[in-house]
Amino acid sequence: MRVTCEDGRDFIQSVTARSLDDPFPAYTGPQTSLTKQRKLQRQLASLGSVPVDSPIHPPRRRISHFVMNLPDSAITFLDAFRGIFSSSSLEGMNVGEVYDTMPMIHCHCFTREIESDKAEVDIRQVSPISHSVAEPH
């Protein structure tokens, strides 16, 4: 996770290129507790074993999910996702090398309507791209 303090639209427009330029470190699994590390070191020392190098994993350049947990305004930012994978926004980088599937966008929003059909209408009225709104939950 990387924390930024910038305009939401600017962030959405630049985050894909940033992840390609400055990827996250490789995921190596959950961090082992200090107690488990010491226990493993004692076991290896008693066996006279040398630890085997772990495989090298590539840095993570692909964004798999965008989670927009801003109930009052998240839906108004959906249109900012248009074009974030275009060659012009990525300055010629080949997004196809990294993305075999597009990221999932989770948009949390709320309505006061109880019935699903009325709730959908209510949410679509707020959305700048109303045709993209999935079923409300």
Side-chain angles (χ1 to χ4, degrees):
M1 177 183 295
R2 291 185 181 147
V3 179
T4 64
C5 184
E6 63 188 292
D7 177 75
R9 290 183 180 283
D10 292 342
F11 173 79
I12 291 167
Q13 292 294 311
S14 63
V15 70
T16 305
R18 274 192 246 169
S19 71
L20 296 173
D21 286 339
D22 183 20
F24 284 95
Y27 180 70
T28 57
Q31 186 174 359
T32 307
S33 71
L34 192 54
T35 305
K36 286 185 180 181
Q37 288 176 13
R38 289 179 182 151
K39 183 178 178 180
L40 181 61
Q41 287 172 347
R42 284 193 303 271
Q43 288 174 340
L44 292 172
S46 69
L47 296 172
S49 299
V50 178
V52 178
D53 289 336
S54 61
I56 297 174
H57 299 284
R60 295 172 295 154
R61 299 169 72 200
R62 183 182 180 279
I63 298 170
S64 61
H65 294 265
F66 289 97
V67 179
M68 302 175 63
N69 194 17
L70 305 165
D72 284 344
S73 61
I75 201 165
T76 64
F77 286 90
L78 289 177
D79 62 319
F81 285 97
R82 285 190 176 138
I84 65 171
F85 291 104
S86 70
S87 58
S88 61
S89 68
L90 296 176
E91 298 174 7
M93 292 182 228
N94 186 357
V95 73
E97 293 175 5
V98 177
Y99 288 89
D100 53 345
T101 60
M102 292 293 104
M104 176 78 67
I105 300 172
H106 301 270
C107 182
H108 298 260
C109 55
F110 298 95
T111 179
R112 295 178 190 257
E113 298 294 338
I114 295 173
E115 297 175 28
S116 291
D117 56 337
K118 289 181 180 179
E120 186 174 343
V121 168
D122 185 41
I123 290 170
R124 286 179 185 269
Q125 288 175 350
V126 177
S127 173
I129 51 173
S130 62
H131 63 278
S132 299
V133 177
E135 291 183 28
H137 298 283

